[in-house]
Amino acid sequence: MDKEIDAKNISQAVISRLPRYFRYLGELKDSNVERISSQELSEMMKVTASQIRQDFNNFGGFGQQGYGYRVNYLYDEIGKILGLNKTHHLIIVGAGNLGQALANYMNFERRGFHFKGIFDSNEQLHGKKIRDMYVQPMENLESFVKDNDIDIAVLTIPKTSAVAVAEELVGYGVKAFWNFAHVDLNVPKEIVVESVHLSDSLLKLSYNINRKENEDEE
Amino acid sequence: MDKEIDAKNISQAVISRLPRYFRYLGELKDSNVERISSQELSEMMKVTASQIRQDFNNFGGFGQQGYGYRVNYLYDEIGKILGLNKTHHLIIVGAGNLGQALANYMNFERRGFHFKGIFDSNEQLHGKKIRDMYVQPMENLESFVKDNDIDIAVLTIPKTSAVAVAEELVGYGVKAFWNFAHVDLNVPKEIVVESVHLSDSLLKLSYNINRKENEDEE
Protein backbone atom coordinates (compact mmCIF):
# COMPACT_ATOMS: atom_id res chain seq x y z
CA MET A 1 0.00 0.00 0.00
CA ASP A 2 1.24 3.46 -0.86
CA LYS A 3 0.95 6.46 1.44
CA GLU A 4 -2.41 5.80 2.95
CA ILE A 5 -4.96 8.39 3.97
CA ASP A 6 -7.26 7.51 6.82
CA ALA A 7 -10.41 7.65 4.75
CA LYS A 8 -12.59 6.41 7.58
CA ASN A 9 -12.07 9.55 9.60
CA ILE A 10 -13.03 11.93 6.81
CA SER A 11 -16.51 13.34 7.36
CA GLN A 12 -19.28 12.67 4.86
CA ALA A 13 -19.56 16.45 4.36
CA VAL A 14 -15.98 16.62 3.09
CA ILE A 15 -16.48 13.51 0.98
CA SER A 16 -19.56 15.00 -0.64
CA ARG A 17 -17.48 18.02 -1.69
CA LEU A 18 -14.68 15.96 -3.26
CA PRO A 19 -16.41 15.33 -6.62
CA ARG A 20 -16.83 19.06 -7.13
CA TYR A 21 -13.17 19.75 -6.33
CA PHE A 22 -12.26 16.96 -8.70
CA ARG A 23 -14.40 18.50 -11.44
CA TYR A 24 -12.83 21.95 -11.08
CA LEU A 25 -9.31 20.53 -10.89
CA GLY A 26 -10.02 18.46 -13.99
CA GLU A 27 -11.01 21.61 -15.85
CA LEU A 28 -7.86 23.43 -14.68
CA LYS A 29 -5.77 20.43 -15.73
CA ASP A 30 -7.46 20.38 -19.16
CA SER A 31 -6.58 24.08 -19.46
CA ASN A 32 -2.95 23.29 -18.61
CA VAL A 33 -3.01 25.26 -15.36
CA GLU A 34 -0.13 23.93 -13.25
CA ARG A 35 -0.79 25.47 -9.88
CA ILE A 36 -3.49 27.40 -8.09
CA SER A 37 -3.82 29.16 -4.74
CA SER A 38 -6.68 28.40 -2.37
CA GLN A 39 -7.73 32.04 -2.94
CA GLU A 40 -8.06 31.56 -6.70
CA LEU A 41 -9.82 28.23 -6.30
CA SER A 42 -12.11 29.90 -3.75
CA GLU A 43 -13.18 32.55 -6.27
CA MET A 44 -13.79 29.98 -9.01
CA MET A 45 -15.77 27.64 -6.81
CA LYS A 46 -17.50 30.24 -4.64
CA VAL A 47 -16.52 28.58 -1.38
CA THR A 48 -14.22 30.22 1.19
CA ALA A 49 -10.46 29.72 0.90
CA SER A 50 -10.46 28.62 4.52
CA GLN A 51 -12.96 25.86 3.73
CA ILE A 52 -10.74 24.66 0.88
CA ARG A 53 -7.66 24.63 3.11
CA GLN A 54 -9.53 22.76 5.83
CA ASP A 55 -10.88 20.21 3.38
CA PHE A 56 -7.51 19.57 1.79
CA ASN A 57 -5.89 19.25 5.22
CA ASN A 58 -7.87 16.04 5.62
CA PHE A 59 -5.68 14.56 2.93
CA GLY A 60 -2.38 15.83 4.21
CA GLY A 61 -2.67 19.29 2.71
CA PHE A 62 -1.11 18.92 -0.76
CA GLY A 63 -0.19 22.61 -0.65
CA GLN A 64 2.92 24.66 0.02
CA GLN A 65 2.80 28.08 1.66
CA GLY A 66 3.14 30.83 -0.93
CA TYR A 67 3.16 28.42 -3.84
CA GLY A 68 -0.36 27.07 -3.90
CA TYR A 69 -1.54 23.66 -4.93
CA ARG A 70 -0.09 21.61 -7.77
CA VAL A 71 -3.13 20.92 -9.95
CA ASN A 72 -2.02 17.60 -11.45
CA TYR A 73 -0.89 16.19 -8.14
CA LEU A 74 -4.04 17.29 -6.34
CA TYR A 75 -6.23 15.92 -9.13
CA ASP A 76 -4.48 12.55 -8.99
CA GLU A 77 -4.59 12.32 -5.19
CA ILE A 78 -8.28 13.17 -4.99
CA GLY A 79 -8.83 10.69 -7.81
CA LYS A 80 -7.16 8.00 -5.71
CA ILE A 81 -9.30 8.85 -2.68
CA LEU A 82 -12.33 8.54 -4.95
CA GLY A 83 -11.05 5.13 -6.03
CA LEU A 84 -10.62 6.13 -9.67
CA ASN A 85 -7.36 4.19 -9.96
CA LYS A 86 -9.33 0.96 -9.49
CA THR A 87 -11.02 -0.93 -12.33
CA HIS A 88 -14.65 -2.02 -12.24
CA HIS A 89 -16.95 -3.80 -14.66
CA LEU A 90 -20.35 -2.23 -15.12
CA ILE A 91 -23.64 -3.11 -16.80
CA ILE A 92 -26.75 -1.03 -17.39
CA VAL A 93 -30.07 -2.75 -16.68
CA GLY A 94 -32.83 -0.88 -18.49
CA ALA A 95 -32.26 0.35 -22.05
CA GLY A 96 -34.99 2.99 -22.18
CA ASN A 97 -34.28 6.68 -22.74
CA LEU A 98 -32.48 7.08 -19.43
CA GLY A 99 -30.36 3.94 -19.83
CA GLN A 100 -29.46 5.06 -23.33
CA ALA A 101 -28.63 8.59 -22.14
CA LEU A 102 -26.24 7.22 -19.52
CA ALA A 103 -24.66 4.75 -21.96
CA ASN A 104 -24.08 7.50 -24.52
CA TYR A 105 -23.00 10.43 -22.39
CA MET A 106 -21.40 9.21 -19.19
CA ASN A 107 -17.70 8.81 -19.56
CA PHE A 108 -17.64 5.70 -17.40
CA GLU A 109 -14.18 4.64 -18.53
CA ARG A 110 -12.60 7.90 -17.37
CA ARG A 111 -13.66 6.90 -13.86
CA GLY A 112 -12.37 3.33 -14.07
CA PHE A 113 -15.80 1.85 -14.82
CA HIS A 114 -15.65 -0.38 -17.87
CA PHE A 115 -19.05 -0.47 -19.51
CA LYS A 116 -19.57 -4.10 -20.53
CA GLY A 117 -23.23 -4.60 -21.43
CA ILE A 118 -26.79 -3.33 -21.47
CA PHE A 119 -29.97 -5.32 -20.78
CA ASP A 120 -33.70 -4.87 -21.08
CA SER A 121 -36.82 -7.00 -20.70
CA ASN A 122 -38.45 -5.35 -23.72
CA GLU A 123 -38.02 -7.65 -26.73
CA GLN A 124 -38.32 -4.77 -29.16
CA LEU A 125 -35.05 -3.39 -27.84
CA HIS A 126 -33.10 -6.65 -28.08
CA GLY A 127 -30.34 -6.40 -30.64
CA LYS A 128 -30.60 -2.61 -30.80
CA LYS A 129 -27.12 -1.07 -30.80
CA ILE A 130 -26.37 1.48 -28.10
CA ARG A 131 -22.91 2.98 -28.24
CA ASP A 132 -21.13 -0.20 -29.34
CA MET A 133 -23.28 -2.68 -27.43
CA TYR A 134 -26.29 -4.75 -28.43
CA VAL A 135 -29.14 -4.72 -25.94
CA GLN A 136 -29.43 -8.19 -24.38
CA PRO A 137 -32.42 -9.97 -22.85
CA MET A 138 -32.67 -10.30 -19.07
CA GLU A 139 -32.26 -14.07 -19.41
CA ASN A 140 -28.57 -13.45 -20.20
CA LEU A 141 -27.94 -11.59 -16.95
CA GLU A 142 -26.78 -14.47 -14.78
CA SER A 143 -24.20 -15.93 -17.13
CA PHE A 144 -23.03 -12.51 -18.32
CA VAL A 145 -22.50 -11.13 -14.81
CA LYS A 146 -20.61 -14.25 -13.74
CA ASP A 147 -18.52 -14.61 -16.91
CA ASN A 148 -17.50 -10.94 -17.03
CA ASP A 149 -16.85 -10.28 -13.32
CA ILE A 150 -19.48 -7.56 -13.29
CA ASP A 151 -19.35 -5.75 -9.96
CA ILE A 152 -21.54 -2.70 -10.65
CA ALA A 153 -25.06 -2.46 -12.06
CA VAL A 154 -26.78 0.75 -13.12
CA LEU A 155 -30.53 0.32 -12.60
CA THR A 156 -32.66 2.31 -15.03
CA ILE A 157 -35.76 0.16 -14.72
CA PRO A 158 -39.17 0.93 -13.19
CA LYS A 159 -39.50 0.76 -9.42
CA THR A 160 -41.89 -2.18 -9.73
CA SER A 161 -39.08 -4.46 -10.89
CA ALA A 162 -36.00 -2.80 -9.38
CA VAL A 163 -36.07 -4.40 -5.93
CA ALA A 164 -36.34 -7.94 -7.31
CA VAL A 165 -33.75 -7.40 -10.04
CA ALA A 166 -31.30 -5.94 -7.50
CA GLU A 167 -31.70 -8.99 -5.24
CA GLU A 168 -31.14 -11.26 -8.24
CA LEU A 169 -27.98 -9.38 -9.24
CA VAL A 170 -26.57 -9.55 -5.71
CA GLY A 171 -27.00 -13.32 -5.98
CA TYR A 172 -24.88 -13.30 -9.15
CA GLY A 173 -22.10 -11.32 -7.46
CA VAL A 174 -22.86 -7.64 -8.09
CA LYS A 175 -21.34 -5.52 -5.31
CA ALA A 176 -22.68 -2.04 -6.02
CA PHE A 177 -25.64 -0.28 -7.59
CA TRP A 178 -26.12 3.09 -9.19
CA ASN A 179 -29.88 3.16 -8.70
CA PHE A 180 -32.21 5.41 -10.71
CA ALA A 181 -35.39 3.47 -9.84
CA HIS A 182 -37.55 5.54 -7.54
CA VAL A 183 -37.47 3.04 -4.71
CA ASP A 184 -35.12 2.12 -1.88
CA LEU A 185 -33.36 -1.15 -2.70
CA ASN A 186 -33.49 -3.98 -0.20
CA VAL A 187 -29.93 -5.34 -0.33
CA PRO A 188 -27.47 -6.55 2.34
CA LYS A 189 -25.57 -3.76 4.03
CA GLU A 190 -22.22 -4.74 2.51
CA ILE A 191 -23.63 -3.82 -0.90
CA VAL A 192 -22.96 -0.21 -1.94
CA VAL A 193 -25.94 1.74 -3.23
CA GLU A 194 -25.85 5.26 -4.66
CA SER A 195 -29.36 6.35 -5.56
CA VAL A 196 -30.35 9.18 -7.86
CA HIS A 197 -33.96 9.88 -7.00
CA LEU A 198 -34.91 12.41 -9.65
CA SER A 199 -38.38 12.94 -8.19
CA ASP A 200 -36.88 13.84 -4.83
CA SER A 201 -34.65 16.37 -6.55
CA LEU A 202 -37.67 17.88 -8.32
CA LEU A 203 -39.44 18.20 -4.97
CA LYS A 204 -36.43 20.03 -3.54
CA LEU A 205 -36.64 22.42 -6.47
CA SER A 206 -40.32 22.95 -5.75
CA TYR A 207 -39.63 23.55 -2.05
CA ASN A 208 -36.96 26.12 -2.77
CA ILE A 209 -39.14 28.00 -5.27
CA ASN A 210 -41.97 28.05 -2.72
CA ARG A 211 -39.70 29.30 0.04
CA LYS A 212 -38.33 32.05 -2.20
CA GLU A 213 -41.85 33.16 -3.10
CA ASN A 214 -42.90 33.25 0.55
CA GLU A 215 -39.85 35.36 1.37
CA ASP A 216 -40.69 37.77 -1.40
CA GLU A 217 -44.23 38.21 -0.09
CA GLU A 218 -42.98 39.33 3.31
CA MET B 1 -52.61 32.95 4.36
CA ASP B 2 -53.71 29.75 6.04
CA LYS B 3 -52.01 28.26 9.08
CA GLU B 4 -48.43 29.03 8.27
CA ILE B 5 -45.39 26.98 9.15
CA ASP B 6 -42.16 28.85 9.76
CA ALA B 7 -40.35 27.27 6.83
CA LYS B 8 -37.30 29.48 7.28
CA ASN B 9 -36.37 27.88 10.57
CA ILE B 10 -36.49 24.33 9.30
CA SER B 11 -33.02 22.91 8.85
CA GLN B 12 -31.80 21.84 5.43
CA ALA B 13 -31.29 18.34 6.84
CA VAL B 14 -35.01 18.05 7.60
CA ILE B 15 -35.94 19.56 4.25
CA SER B 16 -33.76 17.06 2.43
CA ARG B 17 -35.68 14.24 4.13
CA LEU B 18 -39.13 15.57 3.19
CA PRO B 19 -39.21 14.18 -0.36
CA ARG B 20 -38.60 10.70 0.97
CA TYR B 21 -41.36 11.01 3.57
CA PHE B 22 -43.60 12.31 0.83
CA ARG B 23 -42.78 9.33 -1.37
CA TYR B 24 -43.55 6.77 1.35
CA LEU B 25 -46.75 8.55 2.37
CA GLY B 26 -47.81 8.65 -1.27
CA GLU B 27 -47.37 4.90 -1.49
CA LEU B 28 -49.38 4.37 1.71
CA LYS B 29 -52.07 6.67 0.36
CA ASP B 30 -52.17 4.75 -2.93
CA SER B 31 -52.59 1.56 -0.88
CA ASN B 32 -55.52 3.17 0.99
CA VAL B 33 -53.73 3.13 4.35
CA GLU B 34 -55.48 5.73 6.53
CA ARG B 35 -53.16 6.03 9.48
CA ILE B 36 -49.71 4.90 10.54
CA SER B 37 -47.68 5.04 13.73
CA SER B 38 -44.19 6.51 13.80
CA GLN B 39 -43.05 2.99 14.74
CA GLU B 40 -44.54 1.44 11.59
CA LEU B 41 -43.22 4.25 9.41
CA SER B 42 -39.84 3.80 11.08
CA GLU B 43 -39.69 0.12 10.08
CA MET B 44 -40.72 0.86 6.50
CA MET B 45 -38.27 3.70 6.04
CA LYS B 46 -35.43 2.33 8.17
CA VAL B 47 -35.04 5.54 10.16
CA THR B 48 -35.70 5.75 13.90
CA ALA B 49 -39.20 6.53 15.16
CA SER B 50 -37.71 9.30 17.25
CA GLN B 51 -36.21 10.91 14.14
CA ILE B 52 -39.62 10.78 12.46
CA ARG B 53 -41.32 12.38 15.46
CA GLN B 54 -38.68 15.07 15.67
CA ASP B 55 -38.90 15.82 11.97
CA PHE B 56 -42.69 16.03 12.00
CA ASN B 57 -42.59 18.25 15.09
CA ASN B 58 -41.09 20.91 12.87
CA PHE B 59 -44.42 21.12 11.13
CA GLY B 60 -46.58 21.12 14.23
CA GLY B 61 -46.52 17.37 14.71
CA PHE B 62 -49.57 16.16 12.73
CA GLY B 63 -49.85 13.19 15.08
CA GLN B 64 -51.98 12.21 18.04
CA GLN B 65 -50.71 10.09 20.90
CA GLY B 66 -51.83 6.48 20.55
CA TYR B 67 -53.49 7.10 17.21
CA GLY B 68 -50.60 7.73 14.86
CA TYR B 69 -50.46 9.97 11.83
CA ARG B 70 -53.29 10.46 9.39
CA VAL B 71 -51.71 9.55 6.07
CA ASN B 72 -53.80 11.76 3.79
CA TYR B 73 -53.48 14.80 6.02
CA LEU B 74 -49.74 14.36 6.45
CA TYR B 75 -49.27 13.80 2.73
CA ASP B 76 -51.17 16.98 1.92
CA GLU B 77 -49.37 19.07 4.53
CA ILE B 78 -45.92 17.95 3.43
CA GLY B 79 -47.06 18.57 -0.14
CA LYS B 80 -47.92 22.16 0.80
CA ILE B 81 -44.54 22.65 2.48
CA LEU B 82 -42.94 21.37 -0.71
CA GLY B 83 -45.01 23.89 -2.65
CA LEU B 84 -46.90 21.25 -4.62
CA ASN B 85 -50.15 23.18 -4.33
CA LYS B 86 -48.64 25.92 -6.51
CA THR B 87 -48.69 25.87 -10.31
CA HIS B 88 -45.60 26.35 -12.44
CA HIS B 89 -44.91 26.34 -16.18
CA LEU B 90 -41.92 24.32 -17.25
CA ILE B 91 -39.90 23.77 -20.41
CA ILE B 92 -37.13 21.31 -21.20
CA VAL B 93 -34.12 22.69 -23.06
CA GLY B 94 -32.25 19.82 -24.69
CA ALA B 95 -34.21 17.04 -26.42
CA GLY B 96 -31.50 14.36 -26.42
CA ASN B 97 -31.92 11.02 -24.63
CA LEU B 98 -31.93 12.61 -21.18
CA GLY B 99 -34.41 15.35 -22.09
CA GLN B 100 -36.64 12.74 -23.69
CA ALA B 101 -36.35 10.46 -20.66
CA LEU B 102 -37.45 13.27 -18.35
CA ALA B 103 -40.27 14.34 -20.68
CA ASN B 104 -41.58 10.79 -20.89
CA TYR B 105 -41.16 9.52 -17.36
CA MET B 106 -41.27 12.40 -14.90
CA ASN B 107 -44.78 13.01 -13.71
CA PHE B 108 -44.26 16.78 -13.66
CA GLU B 109 -47.97 17.55 -13.46
CA ARG B 110 -48.40 15.57 -10.26
CA ARG B 111 -46.02 18.06 -8.66
CA GLY B 112 -47.71 21.17 -10.05
CA PHE B 113 -45.23 21.60 -12.89
CA HIS B 114 -47.05 21.99 -16.18
CA PHE B 115 -44.81 20.77 -18.98
CA LYS B 116 -45.30 23.28 -21.81
CA GLY B 117 -42.55 22.75 -24.39
CA ILE B 118 -39.25 21.18 -25.38
CA PHE B 119 -36.41 22.80 -27.32
CA ASP B 120 -33.18 21.77 -29.01
CA SER B 121 -30.55 23.37 -31.22
CA ASN B 122 -30.25 20.22 -33.34
CA GLU B 123 -32.30 20.73 -36.52
CA GLN B 124 -32.76 17.00 -36.97
CA LEU B 125 -34.86 16.91 -33.82
CA HIS B 126 -37.11 19.84 -34.78
CA GLY B 127 -40.67 18.67 -35.26
CA LYS B 128 -40.02 15.34 -33.56
CA LYS B 129 -42.89 14.49 -31.24
CA ILE B 130 -41.97 13.80 -27.60
CA ARG B 131 -44.88 12.90 -25.37
CA ASP B 132 -47.38 15.27 -26.98
CA MET B 133 -44.95 18.08 -27.83
CA TYR B 134 -43.04 18.93 -30.98
CA VAL B 135 -39.38 19.80 -30.43
CA GLN B 136 -38.91 23.50 -31.17
CA PRO B 137 -35.80 25.40 -32.30
CA MET B 138 -33.91 27.58 -29.81
CA GLU B 139 -34.94 30.67 -31.77
CA ASN B 140 -38.46 30.22 -30.39
CA LEU B 141 -37.29 30.37 -26.76
CA GLU B 142 -37.70 34.08 -26.11
CA SER B 143 -41.26 34.45 -27.41
CA PHE B 144 -42.37 31.10 -26.01
CA VAL B 145 -41.06 31.77 -22.50
CA LYS B 146 -42.65 35.22 -22.44
CA ASP B 147 -45.99 34.20 -24.00
CA ASN B 148 -46.44 31.14 -21.76
CA ASP B 149 -45.23 32.54 -18.44
CA ILE B 150 -42.55 29.89 -18.21
CA ASP B 151 -40.92 30.07 -14.79
CA ILE B 152 -38.91 26.83 -14.75
CA ALA B 153 -36.41 25.45 -17.26
CA VAL B 154 -34.94 21.95 -17.19
CA LEU B 155 -31.46 22.08 -18.73
CA THR B 156 -30.42 18.86 -20.44
CA ILE B 157 -27.83 20.43 -22.72
CA PRO B 158 -24.03 20.12 -22.75
CA LYS B 159 -22.05 22.12 -20.23
CA THR B 160 -20.47 24.16 -23.01
CA SER B 161 -23.78 25.91 -23.74
CA ALA B 162 -25.61 25.65 -20.40
CA VAL B 163 -24.18 28.74 -18.72
CA ALA B 164 -25.03 31.04 -21.65
CA VAL B 165 -28.49 29.53 -22.21
CA ALA B 166 -29.30 29.90 -18.50
CA GLU B 167 -28.33 33.59 -18.57
CA GLU B 168 -30.49 34.09 -21.66
CA LEU B 169 -33.47 32.39 -20.01
CA VAL B 170 -33.13 34.51 -16.87
CA GLY B 171 -33.39 37.52 -19.16
CA TYR B 172 -36.69 36.19 -20.52
CA GLY B 173 -38.11 35.72 -17.03
CA VAL B 174 -37.24 32.15 -15.97
CA LYS B 175 -37.01 31.98 -12.16
CA ALA B 176 -35.71 28.47 -11.53
CA PHE B 177 -33.58 25.77 -13.14
CA TRP B 178 -33.43 22.02 -12.81
CA ASN B 179 -29.91 21.71 -14.12
CA PHE B 180 -28.45 18.48 -15.52
CA ALA B 181 -25.53 20.15 -17.29
CA HIS B 182 -22.30 19.27 -15.56
CA VAL B 183 -21.40 22.85 -14.70
CA ASP B 184 -22.33 25.36 -12.02
CA LEU B 185 -24.69 27.97 -13.47
CA ASN B 186 -23.81 31.63 -13.13
CA VAL B 187 -27.19 33.18 -12.32
CA PRO B 188 -28.30 35.90 -9.86
CA LYS B 189 -28.85 34.63 -6.33
CA GLU B 190 -32.61 35.16 -6.43
CA ILE B 191 -32.79 32.44 -9.10
CA VAL B 192 -33.37 28.95 -7.73
CA VAL B 193 -31.07 26.22 -9.05
CA GLU B 194 -31.33 22.52 -8.27
CA SER B 195 -28.51 20.66 -9.97
CA VAL B 196 -28.31 16.96 -10.68
CA HIS B 197 -24.62 16.32 -11.32
CA LEU B 198 -24.66 12.70 -12.43
CA SER B 199 -20.87 12.52 -12.64
CA ASP B 200 -20.56 13.65 -9.04
CA SER B 201 -22.96 10.93 -8.02
CA LEU B 202 -20.91 8.35 -9.91
CA LEU B 203 -17.78 9.53 -8.10
CA LYS B 204 -19.53 9.11 -4.76
CA LEU B 205 -20.37 5.55 -5.80
CA SER B 206 -16.73 4.97 -6.68
CA TYR B 207 -15.58 6.43 -3.35
CA ASN B 208 -17.92 4.22 -1.35
CA ILE B 209 -16.89 1.06 -3.23
CA ASN B 210 -13.24 1.94 -2.62
CA ARG B 211 -13.82 2.57 1.07
CA LYS B 212 -15.67 -0.71 1.44
CA GLU B 213 -12.83 -2.60 -0.26
CA ASN B 214 -10.24 -0.96 1.99
CA GLU B 215 -12.27 -1.95 5.05
CA ASP B 216 -12.46 -5.54 3.85
CA GLU B 217 -8.70 -5.70 3.42
CA GLU B 218 -8.08 -4.77 7.05
Side-chain angles (χ1 to χ4, degrees):
Chain A
M1 277 210 284
D2 49 355
K3 189 189 70 176
E4 202 57 37
I5 285 147
D6 188 6
K8 271 190 285 188
N9 289 324
I10 298 171
S11 77
Q12 277 296 316
V14 176
I15 296 307
S16 69
R17 286 192 287 271
L18 284 188
R20 190 156 175 265
Y21 286 125
F22 190 71
R23 172 154 51 95
Y24 275 87
L25 289 165
E27 284 169 12
L28 288 168
K29 188 178 135 125
D30 290 346
S31 312
N32 297 312
V33 174
E34 285 185 15
R35 56 190 171 116
I36 190 160
S37 66
S38 50
Q39 194 53 49
E40 290 167 302
L41 200 54
S42 157
E43 281 159 26
M44 275 179 70
M45 296 188 63
K46 297 188 174 110
V47 291
T48 65
S50 123
Q51 163 106 79
I52 291 174
R53 281 191 296 267
Q54 273 180 37
D55 283 349
F56 289 175
N57 275 340
N58 278 290
F59 315 112
F62 302 132
Q64 287 166 257
Q65 199 78 34
Y67 178 89
Y69 299 101
R70 281 181 292 151
V71 170
N72 267 327
Y73 176 75
L74 195 48
Y75 179 85
D76 289 345
E77 289 299 308
I78 293 182
K80 275 187 222 166
I81 294 160
L82 292 171
L84 302 184
N85 52 334
K86 308 280 177 76
T87 298
H88 301 282
H89 294 166
L90 170 150
I91 56 170
I92 295 179
V93 184
N97 284 126
L98 184 57
Q100 291 187 35
L102 297 176
N104 285 320
Y105 302 126
M106 291 304 298
N107 194 338
F108 290 117
E109 279 72 16
R110 187 172 176 183
R111 294 167 185 90
F113 295 143
H114 291 259
F115 174 41
K116 304 294 265 185
I118 180 163
F119 297 80
D120 203 290
S121 61
N122 180 355
E123 281 182 27
Q124 299 193 321
L125 289 170
H126 298 160
K128 180 175 168 156
K129 207 170 180 181
I130 292 169
R131 226 170 65 173
D132 50 353
M133 306 280 174
Y134 292 102
V135 177
Q136 299 184 59
M138 299 293 274
E139 291 70 34
N140 292 9
L141 266 181
E142 179 167 6
S143 59
F144 192 90
V145 166
K146 290 177 178 173
D147 293 349
N148 294 279
D149 290 327
I150 301 300
D151 51 355
I152 302 180
V154 183
L155 297 183
T156 46
I157 51 181
K159 65 176 181 177
T160 44
S161 51
V163 173
V165 168
E167 282 175 14
E168 190 186 331
L169 289 167
V170 168
Y172 304 155
V174 167
K175 300 272 180 271
F177 292 94
W178 199 23
N179 172 41
F180 287 80
H182 197 215
V183 66
D184 296 320
L185 302 181
N186 181 26
V187 292
K189 69 173 175 12
E190 65 269 23
I191 303 296
V192 175
V193 178
E194 169 74 16
S195 287
V196 180
H197 289 315
L198 293 177
S199 295
D200 289 5
S201 168
L202 190 61
L203 291 182
K204 264 177 73 186
L205 178 69
S206 176
Y207 170 81
N208 283 314
I209 294 170
N210 191 38
R211 193 179 57 164
K212 192 77 79 176
E213 285 173 354
N214 288 341
E215 281 173 15
D216 293 346
E217 277 168 19
E218 280 166 13
Chain B
M1 279 212 284
D2 48 355
K3 188 189 69 174
E4 201 58 36
I5 285 147
D6 189 5
K8 271 190 287 190
N9 289 326
I10 299 172
S11 78
Q12 278 296 315
V14 177
I15 296 308
S16 69
R17 286 193 288 269
L18 285 187
R20 191 156 174 264
Y21 286 125
F22 191 71
R23 171 153 52 95
Y24 275 87
L25 289 165
E27 283 168 13
L28 288 168
K29 189 177 134 124
D30 289 346
S31 313
N32 297 313
V33 174
E34 284 186 15
R35 57 191 172 114
I36 189 160
S37 66
S38 50
Q39 195 53 48
E40 290 168 301
L41 200 54
S42 157
E43 280 159 29
M44 276 179 68
M45 295 187 63
K46 298 191 174 101
V47 292
T48 65
S50 123
Q51 163 106 78
I52 290 174
R53 282 191 297 266
Q54 273 179 37
D55 283 349
F56 290 175
N57 275 340
N58 279 290
F59 314 112
F62 303 131
Q64 287 167 255
Q65 199 79 34
Y67 178 89
Y69 298 102
R70 281 181 291 150
V71 170
N72 267 328
Y73 176 75
L74 193 49
Y75 179 85
D76 289 345
E77 289 299 307
I78 293 183
K80 276 187 220 166
I81 294 161
L82 292 170
L84 301 184
N85 53 334
K86 308 281 178 74
T87 299
H88 300 282
H89 294 167
L90 169 151
I91 55 171
I92 295 177
V93 184
N97 285 126
L98 184 57
Q100 291 186 36
L102 297 176
N104 285 320
Y105 302 127
M106 289 304 300
N107 194 338
F108 290 119
E109 280 71 16
R110 188 173 175 179
R111 294 166 184 89
F113 296 143
H114 291 260
F115 174 41
K116 305 293 265 186
I118 181 163
F119 297 80
D120 204 289
S121 61
N122 179 354
E123 281 182 26
Q124 300 193 318
L125 289 170
H126 297 160
K128 183 179 167 155
K129 208 169 178 180
I130 293 170
R131 228 170 64 172
D132 50 352
M133 307 278 174
Y134 292 102
V135 177
Q136 299 184 59
M138 300 293 274
E139 291 70 35
N140 292 8
L141 265 183
E142 178 167 7
S143 60
F144 192 90
V145 167
K146 290 177 176 170
D147 293 348
N148 294 279
D149 290 327
I150 301 300
D151 52 356
I152 302 179
V154 183
L155 298 183
T156 46
I157 50 181
K159 65 177 181 177
T160 44
S161 50
V163 174
V165 168
E167 283 175 13
E168 191 186 329
L169 288 167
V170 169
Y172 304 154
V174 167
K175 300 272 179 274
F177 292 93
W178 199 24
N179 173 40
F180 288 80
H182 198 213
V183 65
D184 296 320
L185 302 181
N186 182 26
V187 292
K189 70 172 173 18
E190 65 269 22
I191 302 295
V192 175
V193 179
E194 169 73 16
S195 288
V196 180
H197 289 316
L198 294 177
S199 295
D200 289 5
S201 168
L202 190 61
L203 291 181
K204 264 177 74 186
L205 177 68
S206 176
Y207 171 80
N208 283 314
I209 294 170
N210 192 38
R211 193 180 56 163
K212 191 77 77 176
E213 286 171 353
N214 289 341
E215 280 173 16
D216 292 346
E217 277 168 20
E218 281 167 13

